[in-house]
Amino acid sequence: MVVSPIGIEDVIPLHLADCTFPASHPLVGQRGTVHGFAVRHPAGVFVFDTGIGTGNAWVDANFRPKVRAIDDALREVGLRADDVTAVANSHLHFDHAGQNARFGNVPIYVQRIERAAARADGYTISEWIEFAGARYEPIDGDAEPVAGIQLLATPGHTRGHQSAVIATTDGPVVLAGQAVYSVAEWRGEADPADQSPKSAASAKRLRGLGARRVFFGHDASRWDGA
Ligand SMILES: [Zn+2]
């Protein structure tokens, strides 16, 4: 079988929400943007992070999110949610996994320790994570759930955080999630929002991949090479 290769433009950012970060968040006071990503892959559409869900009073009061349905975000870039064949979450905080329930019976790849952590009170919005038809596939460390799409353990922001690396004909495209918060952080022009040694090690690991392009969960800008 000849598999058509993935090009760099097949890795597509999805603008899934805007919100305001409260005092408890490292990005306090800023109006933040929330991004997921779609990969047009010969095996189907792969989605990395699903944004914020709807109908939770605590989230609405504290983050005042303007949420976009992932169906609409995908349609806007010419894709259909029904064509999604695999999903992964960088981590299970409510702003990265909030619309997972749109993908019942689709495998959702998450680090095993992240799923366990997400069961603790206050970690996330549990009804957005645990839903009828949820098909979580646990990962321990690194994995390649879809040919050419690797998930790398990048602990720091959470212990079970992971990033994605997409092999394209133009070079690797990295979806950092929240392992690195922004282009400025990636370039070393801003102090890392997460200062732990684990975060630093994860950022170093991502920088060592020879990425051609890097996207971030909470930055509308991307990094396109030195
Ligand atoms: Zn988070």
Side-chain angles (χ1 to χ4, degrees):
M1 186 176 80
V2 177
V3 176
S4 55
I6 303 172
I8 199 165
E9 300 304 333
D10 292 320
V11 184
I12 305 164
L14 305 172
H15 183 194
L16 295 177
D18 293 296
C19 66
T20 303
F21 295 109
S24 58
H25 197 281
L27 302 177
V28 56
Q30 295 180 39
R31 189 74 185 160
T33 180
V34 175
H35 286 265
F37 303 90
V39 180
R40 256 191 314 249
H41 187 282
V45 176
F46 169 80
V47 164
F48 186 73
D49 280 352
T50 62
I52 300 178
T54 53
N56 182 272
W58 177 83
V59 168
D60 289 349
N62 285 281
F63 290 84
R64 292 187 280 120
K66 207 170 115 206
V67 171
R68 303 183 66 223
I70 197 158
D71 278 77
D72 294 343
L74 285 164
R75 194 178 305 114
E76 191 179 277
V77 298
L79 300 173
R80 286 165 13 108
D82 289 342
D83 294 333
V84 173
T85 51
V87 174
N89 298 117
S90 60
H91 62 298
L92 292 176
H93 284 163
F94 75 88
D95 53 335
H96 295 261
Q99 294 186 54
N100 277 13
R102 174 61 184 85
F103 302 107
N105 297 314
V106 175
I108 302 175
Y109 296 90
V110 174
Q111 294 288 321
R112 189 187 305 273
I113 58 171
E114 182 68 18
R115 179 113 186 270
R119 294 198 173 100
D121 269 358
Y123 190 93
T124 190
I125 307 302
S126 48
E127 65 265 30
W128 291 351
I129 308 300
E130 304 297 338
F131 55 93
R135 203 180 130 194
Y136 285 98
E137 303 285 342
I139 291 175
D140 300 299
D142 301 344
E144 188 169 344
V146 180
I149 299 180
Q150 284 181 289
L151 297 171
L152 303 187
T154 47
H157 176 66
T158 67
R159 277 184 62 220
H161 190 282
Q162 61 184 0
S163 303
V165 187
I166 322 299
T168 81
T169 50
D170 304 283
V173 176
V174 170
L175 308 178
Q178 218 166 334
V180 177
Y181 278 46
S182 65
V183 176
E185 248 187 48
W186 179 263
R187 288 199 172 117
E189 293 166 355
D191 286 339
D194 282 318
Q195 299 266 352
S196 72
K198 266 190 181 166
S199 288
S202 291
K204 187 176 175 194
R205 185 177 189 202
L206 293 179
R207 286 196 182 92
L209 296 172
R212 170 69 183 75
R213 178 172 283 178
V214 184
F215 289 104
F216 309 89
H218 294 300
D219 190 342
S221 304
R222 68 190 190 205
W223 181 84
D224 249 337

